[in-house]
Amino acid sequence: MLPILKQQCYSCHSADKYKTETSNTLNMEDFASLKYYATPANGRDNVSYLVGNIRHAPGFQPMPKDGQKLSACEIALIQAWVDAGAPNK
C-alpha cells in the first residue's frame, strides 16, 4: 500500500507539498488525514474519497490529477486496505 502511495500520490500529496499549498491538499504522510479520506463513512454514498478518486468514479475528483489512472491491481490493493479498516501498517 505505502509503495503505491509514494510512487503515485506523494508528488502532490506529501508533507512538503502540504506545507506549500493553501487549500484542498491532502498530506498522505499524515496517517490521521489519510485514514479520514480512506474511511467510507467520510466519503460519498459509503465510498471513501480515496477509493472514489482513484477509481475515477462519478462525483469524485479523478486522481492522480496529472497522471494516468492507477492500474486495476493497485486500485484493488488500496480497496483491500480500506476494506480492512485502513490499518496503520
Side-chain angles (χ1 to χ4, degrees):
M1 189 23 225
L2 186 57
I4 297 169
L5 296 181
K6 284 183 177 180
Q7 181 181 19
Q8 301 288 352
C9 308
Y10 278 19
S11 63
C12 294
H13 295 286
S14 67
D16 287 340
K17 200 65 147 171
Y18 183 75
K19 290 176 191 173
T20 60
E21 299 293 325
T22 57
S23 64
N24 296 328
T25 302
L26 164 62
N27 174 8
M28 289 186 162
E29 293 182 270
D30 173 22
F31 182 73
S33 294
L34 177 59
K35 180 142 178 129
Y36 177 86
Y37 284 97
T39 301
N42 298 331
R44 290 193 178 119
D45 298 324
N46 213 33
V47 175
S48 75
Y49 286 112
L50 178 65
V51 171
N53 290 347
I54 64 171
R55 285 189 170 173
H56 296 188
F60 291 87
Q61 295 181 21
M63 294 288 166
K65 187 175 181 180
D66 296 325
Q68 292 186 352
K69 185 177 178 181
L70 275 60
S71 72
C73 182
E74 291 170 321
I75 293 170
L77 287 170
I78 292 171
Q79 180 69 62
W81 175 74
V82 167
D83 290 346
N88 189 8
K89 0 178 181 175

